[in-house]
Amino acid sequence: MLAFKECRDPNTGELFIETSICGKLLLTTPQLNKGTAFTYDERHTFGLLGKLPNRVETLDEQVKRAYLQYSSYTSRLQQHIYLNDLHDQNQILFYKLVSRHLAEMLPTIYTPIVGTAVKHFNREYRQPRGLYISHTNRNQIDEILMNRSNPEIDLIVVTDGEGVLGIGDQGVGGMDIPVAKLMVYSLCGGINPTRTLPIFLDVGTNNQSLLDDPLYLGCRHPRIGDLQYDEFVHKFVTSISHHFPNAFLHWEDFGRGNARRILDRFQDELCTFNDDIQGTGAVTLAALFAACDVTETHLQEQRIIVYGAGSAGTGISDQIVDAMIRCGLTAQEAYRNFWLIDRQGLLLVNDNELTQAQQPYARACEDIDSWSLRQTIPSLADTIRHVKPTILIGCSAQTGAFSEEIIKMMCANCQRPIIFPLSNPDDKCEAQPNNLLTWSQGKALIATGTAFEPIEYQNRLVQIAQCNNALVFPGIGLGILAVRSSRLTKTMILAAAHALSDFAPSKKDSFLPLLPSLDDAQTVAKHIAKAVAQTAIDLGLAQQNQNADLDKLLHNIFWEPRYLPFKLASEDVIKNTSTSCVLTD
């Protein structure tokens, strides 16, 4: 671990950094490096005199130069690489730059460009980040966790790279996803990046092209079997609970066979969260609340088809079911409002391959007895024709699955159909929003999983809502950490969805988006955090700040990128750290 800590002056209350790291090492430690912003006194004290150009710059001046450098790159992947290199050199400058241009740069460091970066991981690899825990090192997990750079950890994002976005098993390249998620937590949710940790669990890959790639950096073998896998994950969680008993553990991009099982296994043992299941569900539910406001209908009245019944599809459905139950329906009544379609067609109870998450949504065979079908199992078109849905949600990663025929069938039986093609990146989207507007004659209420430019329709510029998880998970994390909640419950996630829907621009004008812009992400995160923290307090799960003024508390703990003054650690601190003050090049 690095030898530094954030302290508060007992006399003035001002924050400062105390460290024993000096010289070139200080300039190459991204958590501490201030580059040309080190003051003359700091340059003298920490052995930096002569190692930097003479001028002492402000952070704002550095940001202007960094933005010029960023703008000089012509491709989004090059811009992604530049921002990540900047992050590896100077974290404060990176976060200040991106926070100044959040709506512009978030898609570059996060979705959709991170998907491209994942594919190029093994060829573009430059700098290690976080921790890589391979199954081979399963008996050294404690040792690996002790090798982390950041001493105090509040938030962990972990993946095994099997279910990355819409592109599937990417092996060790999946590490880019936890790194990007934690950036979003800090940018939007105000969580101090020096208290976060990305982790990759390397259990092999079933992607043959990666196994054949001589540059592949992960374990070069197929994914391990279920029994070994479960034992490995259990060892990992046990170590995490020991080293970081109060940390919030975020699971990301696990395969459909493991994501739900892991969440169900551990959600009652520690404070944990799966963004693909719960985050996607919460942000989609918020958009549905807004759409129901526009149509002046109630959520529990909707007939819902979900196309793609993997982790995201069932996670979204589960969130909607929970909300319907809150509205007065029984669980059985709520499930009856759903028709889920997966690779094999409409989910039916006689299907032996149903996952545990899919089973509550499977329809009885007699439900389709009266349907006229061209094949044994109803297709999407068959289901729409007979169900006459009001909501169509896509989580299939099947490009163009929502065809003109499908959309016109939706519109034939619904005045304002709610259509959410949520698959990302954009080349996996079930339908392009401009086509949805044209085919529905402007009737469709649309939200997508990836960002699209505004569309000109009938002399009006229509902005499309993006069901971007970045609008919800940072606020959930901030709320959890504000009160040290011991668990994350369904009630807390529902509170987050309601809080997000409060910011829907469509409340003012039905032609405006169903969700706010990323420009409002920090304001939204604080509002969600307050709702989540208050719910945790009400449920008796908060371990601290139960009686705090939450608005004031959230304002005080919300991290913002700024340079702090440095002080050289005392002799006792230096002796107790693994990094000494070496004044060399």
Side-chain angles (χ1 to χ4, degrees):
M1 289 180 283
L2 293 173
F4 72 93
K5 62 179 178 179
E6 190 174 290
C7 307
R8 190 177 296 276
D9 189 301
N11 298 317
T12 65
E14 294 296 317
L15 291 172
F16 65 91
I17 297 291
E18 186 177 54
T19 183
S20 59
I21 301 174
C22 299
K24 189 70 172 180
L25 183 57
L26 185 56
L27 295 176
T28 56
T29 302
Q31 297 95 326
L32 300 176
N33 182 26
K34 295 197 284 188
T36 55
F38 278 111
T39 67
Y40 289 124
D41 286 343
E42 289 170 340
R43 296 180 189 199
H44 176 74
T45 302
F46 289 92
L48 301 176
L49 203 58
K51 291 185 179 294
L52 295 162
N54 183 68
R55 181 181 168 190
V56 176
E57 290 190 300
T58 65
L59 179 55
D60 286 341
E61 289 171 330
Q62 291 178 322
V63 165
K64 290 177 183 177
R65 180 183 295 105
Y67 186 68
L68 288 174
Q69 294 171 350
Y70 169 85
S71 302
S72 70
Y73 293 97
T74 55
S75 81
R76 297 290 290 276
L77 180 59
Q78 288 173 328
Q79 291 175 334
H80 175 91
I81 292 170
Y82 169 77
L83 289 176
N84 277 272
D85 283 345
L86 181 61
H87 180 274
D88 291 337
Q89 298 167 25
N90 183 330
Q91 283 192 11
I92 296 295
L93 178 55
F94 164 83
Y95 282 109
K96 193 67 172 180
L97 171 66
V98 180
S99 64
R100 286 274 177 84
H101 306 277
L102 192 59
E104 175 185 356
M105 293 185 176
L106 201 60
T108 305
I109 62 169
Y110 183 48
T111 59
I113 303 304
V114 69
T116 304
V118 167
K119 292 179 181 179
H120 290 81
F121 179 88
N122 297 288
R123 283 166 169 72
E124 296 291 349
Y125 178 82
R126 285 168 168 77
Q127 180 77 14
R129 284 198 204 145
L131 296 176
Y132 296 81
I133 305 176
S134 69
H135 182 256
T136 307
N137 300 129
R138 60 192 176 276
N139 294 322
Q140 286 83 45
I141 296 178
D142 288 330
E143 178 184 347
I144 293 171
L145 292 177
M146 290 301 295
N147 288 338
R148 67 190 185 274
S149 296
N150 297 332
E152 301 296 330
I153 300 298
D154 294 327
L155 172 63
I156 298 165
V157 178
V158 59
T159 189
D160 70 354
E162 185 177 10
V164 176
L165 301 173
I167 56 178
D169 187 346
Q170 297 298 311
V172 74
M175 181 53 139
D176 274 350
I177 302 297
V179 169
K181 286 282 182 178
L182 287 171
M183 289 174 177
V184 178
Y185 267 115
S186 297
L187 287 162
C188 300
I191 294 173
N192 190 332
T194 65
R195 300 181 69 90
T196 67
L197 178 61
I199 294 179
F200 182 78
L201 300 180
D202 196 341
V203 293
T205 178
N206 292 335
N207 187 329
Q208 192 61 46
S209 65
L210 294 177
L211 294 174
D212 294 339
D213 184 352
L215 294 180
Y216 182 64
L217 291 166
C219 293
R220 198 181 296 273
H221 59 71
R223 289 183 175 270
I224 60 178
D226 289 347
L227 182 59
Q228 289 177 300
Y229 183 91
D230 288 347
E231 291 175 348
F232 180 50
V233 171
H234 185 267
K235 275 179 176 268
F236 166 72
V237 172
T238 300
S239 291
I240 291 295
S241 299
H242 172 71
H243 288 273
F244 318 112
N246 295 314
F248 182 39
L249 179 60
H250 172 143
W251 305 90
E252 186 69 32
D253 284 348
F254 282 74
R256 68 182 338 190
N258 293 318
R260 171 72 64 166
R261 287 193 313 110
I262 289 172
L263 181 63
D264 290 345
R265 170 69 178 82
F266 296 109
Q267 65 183 349
D268 293 327
E269 294 186 15
L270 71 163
C271 193
T272 193
F273 169 74
N274 185 301
D275 188 47
D276 304 300
I277 297 172
Q278 296 164 300
T280 303
V283 73
T284 305
L285 181 58
L288 290 178
F289 285 146
C292 289
D293 286 342
V294 171
T295 59
E296 297 182 344
T297 59
H298 299 291
L299 184 66
Q300 63 269 31
E301 300 169 352
Q302 310 300 322
R303 299 182 301 280
I304 303 170
I305 292 180
V306 179
Y307 187 65
S311 298
T314 55
I316 289 168
S317 302
D318 288 349
Q319 295 294 329
I320 302 171
V321 165
D322 290 340
M324 287 181 171
I325 292 172
R326 290 276 178 163
C327 292
L329 297 187
T330 65
Q332 185 177 10
E333 290 170 337
Y335 285 123
R336 293 289 297 174
N337 289 333
F338 286 83
W339 289 260
L340 267 60
I341 299 171
D342 208 41
R343 298 161 184 158
Q344 66 271 47
L346 181 68
L347 299 187
L348 299 172
V349 293
N350 62 354
D351 186 345
N352 294 326
E353 296 183 0
L354 294 176
T355 67
Q356 186 174 354
Q358 292 173 339
Q359 289 172 4
Y361 298 97
R363 307 295 299 200
C365 294
E366 52 265 30
D367 289 348
I368 64 169
D369 281 346
S370 61
W371 293 15
S372 56
L373 301 174
R374 298 175 183 173
Q375 53 196 36
T376 306
I377 300 176
S379 65
L380 174 61
D382 292 327
T383 308
I384 290 176
R385 188 178 299 112
H386 291 91
V387 169
K388 299 177 174 57
T390 57
I391 297 174
L392 175 61
I393 298 172
C395 305
S396 67
Q398 298 299 308
T399 309
F402 295 172
S403 64
E404 182 175 1
E405 177 192 9
I406 293 294
I407 302 309
K408 288 185 173 178
M409 276 197 289
M410 287 284 298
C411 294
N413 300 289
C414 183
Q415 182 62 31
R416 296 296 305 272
I418 300 168
I419 303 175
F420 291 179
L422 298 182
S423 293
N424 59 51
D426 53 2
D427 62 355
K428 299 289 186 180
C429 192
E430 287 82 6
Q432 297 293 306
N434 60 324
N435 288 332
L436 293 178
L437 280 175
T438 301
W439 297 336
S440 70
Q441 297 181 332
K443 296 177 182 179
L445 293 165
I446 304 167
T448 58
T450 192
F452 286 91
E453 294 295 324
I455 299 164
E456 187 174 346
Y457 180 77
Q458 294 185 347
N459 298 319
R460 185 180 185 125
L461 203 60
V462 179
Q463 293 179 311
I464 303 299
Q466 184 190 5
C467 279
N468 192 327
N469 292 19
L471 290 169
V472 71
F473 71 78
I476 291 175
L478 179 61
I480 290 286
L481 298 180
V483 295
R484 292 289 175 193
S485 180
S486 59
R487 299 289 183 274
L488 174 62
T489 68
K490 293 179 179 179
T491 306
M492 293 160 71
I493 295 172
L494 183 58
H498 277 295
L500 176 55
S501 71
D502 290 341
F503 285 84
S506 58
K507 288 181 177 290
K508 299 177 182 177
D509 182 339
S510 64
F511 285 95
L512 292 177
L514 300 172
L515 292 170
S517 163
L518 287 173
D519 285 325
D520 301 316
Q522 291 188 353
T523 302
V524 170
K526 290 176 184 176
H527 187 66
I528 291 173
K530 182 179 179 181
V532 169
Q534 186 60 60
T535 305
I537 292 169
D538 295 342
L539 294 173
L541 298 173
Q543 300 180 84
Q544 65 182 38
N545 297 322
Q546 294 92 334
N547 299 313
D549 179 329
L550 290 179
D551 289 314
K552 184 177 180 180
L553 173 65
L554 292 167
H555 174 77
N556 290 339
I557 68 172
F558 197 92
W559 179 85
E560 294 182 359
R562 61 191 176 103
Y563 290 137
L564 297 178
F566 275 51
K567 293 184 180 181
L568 190 62
S570 66
E571 289 298 322
D572 289 339
V573 172
I574 293 173
K575 289 177 182 177
N576 292 325
T577 60
S578 58
T579 306
S580 60
C581 186
V582 181
L583 306 181
T584 67
D585 289 333

